[in-house]
Structure formats: structure tokens, C-alpha cells
């Protein structure tokens, strides 16, 4: 029997062919083959919003080739990507090739490995028409909004402009943030910071005033030290004061690893750690998923499907990861009970989190077979996944209270009792203030009189909210339920290419044009640029 397997990309076709062997022909559709023609609306508003699809320009020869091969084959399998768009591509192919929609001819591969391909081929199913209809609804709605809004924006502002359901919401977030920054009025405040030693220990440690001599808290939002005069008055009160330890509180705390990556968190972490733009991250991830030629392993997909918002991982992957941890770090680096991560409520749980397809294959062992970008992304995915299975980091904490002339200072520190997952990997954060500024404190006990090394009043100003970066905008879109893993890259690249937004360093700054478009849409068609409307629509599509 001759069997035809249709996938989306040529790289994937070549690798899957290697696993399937004789009797199979594998060919790529090169993404979508049929769509709403661009020259007209292509949606019949009068008749139940019927879409009018046509073969994409330039793909006629490819479609003819697919038809010929499908006609000759005894069996056709549709193996497009395992997501909403992939399901729709399979449906369009079935319609073009005259395949029965009731046939079990749809296969999906969560990973392009021998096991992943074998599992996929062993479990063919019917095309999921609900998933297809969700994609059609999204496509039709995007077309209606784009085609009705774009001429309106062009007419009111400048010819050739476009607007869209998701891009307009993303642009609004950037513009609203810029308006917040403009409206922000910085406020001056002061802190009083001291450094002490506890003789005979020479190691100094930092402490900050938290309470004035009248018992009022200092440093909270409501009770900041407002001026230099106030700060100087306090410093004068403390001249020649004796600094006595009046409290020592010891405790332990657990630090847990971050979950394995989903599309948005991979893009964010690659931006923070590697300064990769999302497009660059996804290009390397796509190559790693579709398969690379690895020395001693042959051509193999090194990671699972990279467009996902699910945190689920398979039992086999968990078991392989645990085996690696046990062999490399020892039994104590595994948690006493396995750790499971909860996927967000509105996620499509179609497949797993992004993880190495073979957890035992370390980044170093494949480094010479990968490009620089592929290696960096594989290392990130691999470390994050292995760390997510590891035991928590155990820390011993210490908080010291120091009193002088009724003023109270505190110092905090910690020591690592057991490094756990941090032996391998720790997540980066956008917020500099969240980074641990604590360091281990020297031994101190209640009643100890400390030696003052320095005491200063330090001037600060409240800071406006930060502009969005590609990473933080992706995070905001995800948190607000706007867009899907497959669309984050397109959203940011669209608002940049339309010159609605420019990059300054890593930050997104709206242009005058971007602000004009947002203001017009907010004024005339507010629900289209309403974050909640777009989020509800995504929920409805999922339902």
C-alpha cells in the first residue's frame, strides 16, 4: 500500500520520512493552502457569514501536485501542526483533495522523534470540526474587523493604514502605558541606610530605618521621609547613638522552580537572558522541533511543539527527567512528591509544555551539531524543564532588628541550606527590585552592640511605570487573554512594521501615528480596542 502523509514544512517532511520508511511518501503543504482572498471581503454577511475560500495565489501548482499524489495513494494522512491553525489546514486540505471528513486520517506529532511519530501514526482520528470552526470564526471576525476598520482609519488619518482585532488592542496597551508615563508626577522621598559590623567579625552588613522615634513606620507608601530636612533631623538625632540588636528572628523558606516553558514564557525568558527578539526565538525553536541532524543520533526533533499554552508534561518525559536528575545530582535533588503545574484556565490543553523530547540528551552533548541560536534555545528549554522537576531550594532566613535612640532599623539575609533546583537554573525577572538584594548576615544575638560604619540619607524619586518591552507586552497580552501562542510574534512585528510603534533599546514607544490610530478607535469604536472584549472572544472560541 502507498501512504501519503501531508505536513506543513519541508524540514519536518524530510525528518518524518526518515522515521516512517518504505511505503510512505511525505510532502509539505508549506502552511495554509486556502484562505479568504485578499482582494475582497470574501465573507457573505447576508448569508450566515459564509466564507468564500480560494487557493492562495502562487500555490496552485502545489495544490495540483497534492491532488495527483492523493489520488494515487491508497491512504492519505493529514499531519499538520497540532493546534487550531493546523487543524484548519487539514480541513482545507481534506476539502481540496476530496477526502471524507468522517475518515480517521488526522494525525498529530507532539515531538518529531521516532516515538513521537510512531505514537501519532498509531492514533489517527477524525478532523476535529469544533477546532476548525473556532479557527474559521477567528479568521472571519479578523477579516470583518480588518476590512471594515482599515478603510475607516485610512480615510480619517492617512492612506494605506490598517487596523486589526488583536494588533489594535496591543497598540492600545503601548499607548495607554505612554500616557500613564506622561501623566506621572515623580515624588521625592528619602531613606536612611546604615552599615554595621559586629566586632570582632569584620564583615559589614546593611540595614534600613523602618520606624521613627515616635513609633511611626518609615519607608511605606504612606510614611515616606519626604525631604532632606526631615532626613537630616533624624540623622542629627542619631549622632553618637548606640546601636543595639533588639530582635533576631530566624526561619526557613522554600523557593520553588518555575514551571516548564509555554510559548509566551519562552519568548520572555529568551528576551531577558539572551536579548532575543520573539521572532528569532521562535525560528530557533521551530528548527529544534522540526528536527536537526545530530551526531550519533541522526535527524531528530530535540524539543516538543513550540506553540502551546499548556503546562502538562507526559509521564514518560517526567520519568526520563527524574532518571537524569537521580543519576547526575542524586536522589535528594528529587522532591518527595512529584510536582505538577496547573495550566491557566483559558489555555488550550491540546499538547504538552515545551520540553526536550529526550530529557537525557544534554545541551553540551549536542552543541557541536547545533547553530549558536539553536544551542542557546535548547539549553534554555532543557534547563528549565529539568529544573522544574527538581527539589525546592531551602533557605535559612534571618531578620535582625536594631534600635538606636528609639529609631528602629532592620536587616534581612539568608543562607542557602540546600541548593535544590538552583544548582541548575533560576528564572530571570524584569523587575530589578524583585531581585534578591539580601546577603548572608554575620552572627548576631539580642543585646549585641554594633559598630556603625556609615549612615546616610539617600534621596529617591518615585518611578513611572516602565514602557513595554517585547517580553513584557507578550506577558500582558497573555495575562489579559489576548491572542494565542501562535500569534504573539505576528502581533508585535505588525505594530512595528506599520510604524505605530518604534523600538528604543528594548522598549516599545508609540509613534504619533500609533497614538492617532488608537485615539480614533477608542473614540469611535471603543469595543474593538477593549481588552476585555478581545479576551472574551478568545474564551468563546475555546468553548
Amino acid at each position: 500500500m502507498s501512504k501519503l502523509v501531508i505536513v506543513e514544512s519541508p524540514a519536518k517532511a524530510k525528518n518524518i520520512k526518515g522515521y516512517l520508511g518504505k511505503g510512505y511518501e511525505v510532502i509539505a503543504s508549506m502552511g495554509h493552502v486556502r484562505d479568504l482572498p485578499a482582494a475582497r471581503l470574501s465573507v457573505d454577511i447576508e448569508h450566515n457569514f459564509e466564507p468564500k475560500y480560494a487557493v492562495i495565489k502562487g500555490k496552485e501548482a502545489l495544490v495540483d501536485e497534492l491532488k495527483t499524489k492523493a489520488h494515487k495513494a491508497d491512504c492519505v494522512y493529514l499531519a499538520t501542526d497540532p493546534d487550531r491553525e493546523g487543524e484548519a489546514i487539514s480541513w482545507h486540505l481534506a476539502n481540496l483533495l476530496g477526502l471524507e471528513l468522517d475518515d480517521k486520517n488526522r494525525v498529530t506529532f507532539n515531538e518529531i522523534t521516532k516515538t513521537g511519530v510512531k505514537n501519532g501514526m498509531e492514533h489517527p482520528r477524525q478532523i476535529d470540526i469544533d477546532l476548525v470552526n473556532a479557527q474559521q470564526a477567528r479568521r472571519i471576525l479578523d477579516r470583518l474587523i480588518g476590512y471594515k476598520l482599515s478603510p475607516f482609519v485610512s480615510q480619517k488619518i492617512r492612506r494605506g493604514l490598517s487596523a486589526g482585532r488583536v494588533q489594535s488592542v496591543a497598540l492600545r496597551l503601548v499607548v495607554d502605558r505612554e500616557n500613564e508615563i506622561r501623566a506621572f508626577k515623580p515624588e521625592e522621598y528619602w531613606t536612611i541606610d546604615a552599615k554595621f559590623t559586629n566586632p570582632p567579625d569584620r564583615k559589614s552588613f546593611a540595614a534600613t530605618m523602618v520606624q521613627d522615634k515616635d513609633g511611626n513606620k518609615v519607608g511605606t507608601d504612606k510614611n515616606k521621609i519626604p525631604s532632606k530636612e526631615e532626613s537630616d533631623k533624624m540623622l542629627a538625632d542619631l549622632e553618637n547613638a548606640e546601636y543595639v540588636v533588639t530582635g533576631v528572628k530566624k526561619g526557613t523558606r522554600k523557593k520553588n522552580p518555575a514551571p516548564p516553558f509555554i510559548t509566551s514564557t519562552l519568548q520572555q525568558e529568551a528576551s531577558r537572558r539572551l536579548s532575543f527578539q520573539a521572532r528569532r526565538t521562535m525560528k530557533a525553536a521551530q528548527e529544534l522541533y522540526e528536527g536537526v541532524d545530530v551526531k550519533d543520533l541522526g535527524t531528530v526533533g530535540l524539543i516538543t511543539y513550540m506553540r502551546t499554552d499548556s503546562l502538562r508534561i507526559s509521564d514518560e518525559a517526567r520519568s526520563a527527567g527524574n532518571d537524569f536528575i537521580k543519576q547526575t545530582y542524586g536522589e535528594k535533588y528529587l522532591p518527595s512528591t512529584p510536582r505538577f503545574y496547573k495550566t491557566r484556565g483559558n489555555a488550550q490543553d491540546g499538547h504538552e509544555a515545551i520540553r526536550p523530547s529526550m530529557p537525557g540528551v544534554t545541551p553540551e552533548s549536542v552543541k557541536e551539531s547545533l547553530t549558536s541560536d539553536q544551542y542557546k534555545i535548547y539549553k534554555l528549554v532543557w534547563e528549565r524543564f529539568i529544573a522544574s522537576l527538581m527539589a525546592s531550594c531551602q533557605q535559612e532566613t534571618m531578620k535582625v532588628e536594631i534600635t538606636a535612640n528609639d529609631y528602629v532599623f532592620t536587616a534581612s539575609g539568608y543562607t542557602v541550606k540546600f541548593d535544590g533546583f538552583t544548582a541548575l537554573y533560576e528564572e530571570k525577572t524584569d523587575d530589578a527590585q524583585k531581585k534578591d538584594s539580601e546577603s548572608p548576615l554575620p552572627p548576631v544575638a539580642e543585646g549585641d552592640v554594633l559598630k556603625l560604619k556609615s549612615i546616610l540619607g539617600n534621596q529617591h524619586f518615585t518611578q513611572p511605570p516602565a514602557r513595554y518591552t517585547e517580553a513584557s507586552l507578550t506577558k500582558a497580552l497573555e495575562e489579559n487573554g489576548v491572542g494565542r501562542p501562535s500569534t504573539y510574534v505576528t502581533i508585535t512585528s505588525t505594530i512595528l512594521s506599520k510604524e505605530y510603534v518604534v523600538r528604543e533599546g528594548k522598549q516599545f514607544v508609540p509613534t504619533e501615528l500609533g497614538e492617532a490610530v488608537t485615539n480614533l478607535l477608542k473614540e469611535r469604536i471603543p469595543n474593538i480596542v477593549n481588552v476585555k472584549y478581545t479576551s472574551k472572544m478568545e474564551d468563546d472560541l475555546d468553548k
Side-chain angles (χ1 to χ4, degrees):
M1 275 181 81
S2 66
K3 295 170 184 175
L4 179 68
V5 179
I6 304 174
V7 297
E8 281 182 48
S9 83
K12 212 158 125 177
K14 180 181 162 226
N15 297 336
I16 290 167
K17 172 79 177 93
Y19 293 126
L20 293 176
K22 279 183 183 171
Y24 286 91
E25 185 170 4
V26 187
I27 189 167
S29 72
M30 316 293 286
H32 277 277
V33 286
R34 200 168 72 152
D35 198 6
L36 303 172
R40 54 190 182 277
L41 182 62
S42 305
V43 177
D44 190 345
I45 295 170
E46 303 301 322
H47 298 92
N48 203 26
F49 297 92
E50 188 69 33
K52 306 286 185 197
Y53 295 114
V55 171
I56 294 167
K57 237 182 177 163
K59 289 211 165 176
E60 296 86 355
L62 174 64
V63 169
D64 287 343
E65 185 190 354
L66 288 167
K67 282 179 177 174
T68 304
K69 288 184 184 294
H71 184 68
K72 287 180 183 171
D74 297 310
C75 198
V76 178
Y77 291 101
L78 303 168
T80 50
D81 286 352
D83 57 14
R84 198 159 66 189
E85 291 299 315
E87 204 71 17
I89 293 171
S90 283
W91 178 77
H92 283 296
L93 284 167
N95 279 288
L96 282 170
L97 305 178
L99 306 178
E100 290 294 329
L101 290 175
D102 292 340
D103 284 356
K104 289 190 173 181
N105 55 13
R106 173 76 170 118
V107 293
T108 56
F109 309 127
N110 187 42
E111 58 189 45
I112 310 301
T113 59
K114 195 164 190 171
T115 310
V117 171
K118 184 170 170 277
N119 285 347
M121 294 304 292
E122 282 174 359
H123 298 95
R125 57 170 172 81
Q126 290 178 355
I127 288 171
D128 184 339
I129 203 68
D130 291 336
L131 208 52
V132 172
N133 285 338
Q135 190 276 345
Q136 288 198 91
R138 182 204 59 77
R139 185 72 191 95
I140 292 165
L141 195 66
D142 284 353
R143 173 54 64 94
L144 292 175
I145 290 173
Y147 265 60
K148 295 296 181 186
L149 275 195
S150 297
F152 170 68
V153 172
S154 296
Q155 181 195 345
K156 296 285 181 189
I157 298 175
R158 193 176 86 191
R159 281 186 63 153
L161 296 182
S162 75
R165 180 179 62 85
V166 179
Q167 75 176 56
S168 299
V169 175
L171 177 59
R172 180 187 177 156
L173 290 173
V174 175
V175 171
D176 284 355
R177 178 59 58 88
E178 197 67 20
N179 289 332
E180 280 179 62
I181 293 166
R182 283 185 194 130
F184 182 82
K185 289 185 170 57
E187 286 180 18
E188 178 188 15
Y189 70 97
W190 289 69
T191 57
I192 293 180
D193 304 302
K195 281 196 173 165
F196 301 103
T197 57
N198 188 20
D201 196 306
R202 288 184 180 181
K203 193 184 173 200
S204 67
F205 64 95
T208 299
M209 184 189 288
V210 293
Q211 188 179 299
D212 66 18
K213 62 180 178 183
D214 300 319
N216 299 313
K217 283 191 164 45
V218 171
T220 62
D221 287 341
K222 286 181 182 172
N223 291 305
K224 287 188 162 74
I225 303 169
S227 63
K228 186 176 190 309
E229 290 71 34
E230 285 289 319
S231 167
D232 287 347
K233 214 185 284 179
M234 291 173 167
L235 289 171
D237 279 352
L238 287 162
E239 223 167 288
N240 303 317
E242 186 179 62
Y243 293 86
V244 181
V245 175
T246 48
V248 177
K249 194 176 174 187
K250 291 184 177 180
T252 58
R253 69 180 176 203
K254 256 190 342 183
K255 191 175 178 184
N256 293 325
F261 284 126
I262 57 176
T263 307
S264 58
T265 53
L266 173 62
Q267 290 174 14
Q268 289 161 43
E269 190 75 342
S271 172
R272 294 186 200 110
R273 278 179 183 260
L274 308 170
S275 297
F276 277 20
Q277 289 176 18
R279 191 171 287 282
R280 185 176 175 187
T281 299
M282 293 308 284
K283 180 179 181 288
Q286 178 108 24
E287 290 160 359
L288 290 166
Y289 164 66
E290 290 185 346
V292 283
D293 192 6
V294 177
K295 191 181 173 191
D296 300 331
L297 286 176
T299 303
V300 65
L302 285 174
I303 66 170
T304 54
Y305 191 54
M306 66 289 152
R307 290 191 192 98
T308 177
D309 47 11
S310 165
L311 292 174
R312 186 171 54 78
I313 58 170
S314 70
D315 292 340
E316 295 91 329
R318 180 184 294 279
S319 174
N322 287 345
D323 287 346
F324 177 85
I325 293 163
K326 219 182 291 181
Q327 287 162 18
T328 310
Y329 294 95
E331 190 87 46
K332 66 177 182 174
Y333 279 85
L334 284 172
S336 50
T337 53
R339 193 179 279 107
F340 292 89
Y341 295 96
K342 199 173 185 302
T343 298
R344 276 187 321 118
N346 64 344
Q348 292 180 11
D349 198 27
H351 26 85
E352 294 182 59
I354 305 170
R355 61 163 178 83
S357 52
M358 298 168 288
V361 176
T362 65
E364 288 311 309
S365 70
V366 294
K367 187 175 183 178
E368 63 181 272
S369 303
L370 305 181
T371 65
S372 171
D373 281 11
Q374 287 169 352
Y375 167 72
K376 286 172 182 170
I377 295 297
Y378 182 62
K379 186 171 189 285
L380 210 53
V381 169
W382 184 87
E383 287 182 351
R384 174 85 160 217
F385 171 72
I386 296 294
S388 76
L389 299 175
M390 291 172 78
S392 305
C393 170
Q394 305 282 346
Q395 297 173 345
E396 287 186 338
T397 59
M398 186 168 164
K399 191 172 182 181
V400 177
E401 185 184 87
I402 302 146
T403 304
N405 290 357
D406 295 330
Y407 288 92
V408 179
F409 293 73
T410 61
S412 297
Y414 74 89
T415 50
V416 175
K417 190 178 171 188
F418 172 60
D419 55 1
F421 74 94
T422 63
L424 178 63
Y425 172 91
E426 273 189 88
E427 187 180 31
K428 291 247 183 219
T429 171
D430 279 328
D431 188 348
Q433 290 175 334
K434 281 185 189 167
K435 287 177 184 169
D436 270 327
S437 54
E438 301 170 329
S439 54
L441 297 177
V444 288
E446 218 167 301
D448 284 353
V449 177
L450 304 177
K451 185 179 179 188
L452 179 68
K453 296 272 286 181
S454 65
I455 187 165
L456 292 168
N458 287 314
Q459 186 186 36
H460 308 271
F461 290 92
T462 53
Q463 295 297 309
R467 282 175 173 148
Y468 284 111
T469 59
E470 191 171 35
S472 62
L473 182 59
T474 298
K475 188 178 183 184
L477 291 170
E478 184 201 13
E479 284 173 350
N480 285 296
V482 176
R484 272 280 166 254
S486 55
T487 60
Y488 297 138
V489 175
T490 316
I491 296 165
T492 52
S493 58
T494 300
I495 59 174
L496 284 162
S497 67
K498 299 285 179 195
E499 295 180 357
Y500 294 158
V501 166
V502 291
R503 279 186 208 272
E504 284 185 9
K506 279 189 175 186
Q507 296 182 327
F508 282 177
V509 183
T511 60
E512 278 185 46
L513 180 62
E515 295 197 39
V517 169
T518 295
N519 293 337
L520 176 69
L521 294 177
K522 274 165 82 172
E523 185 189 323
R524 298 292 185 87
I525 316 166
N527 70 318
I528 295 296
V529 286
N530 182 323
V531 174
K532 286 192 171 63
Y533 162 75
T534 309
S535 168
K536 183 182 181 304
M537 203 208 104
E538 291 290 354
D539 285 347
D540 288 346
L541 291 179
D542 287 349
K543 284 173 191 165

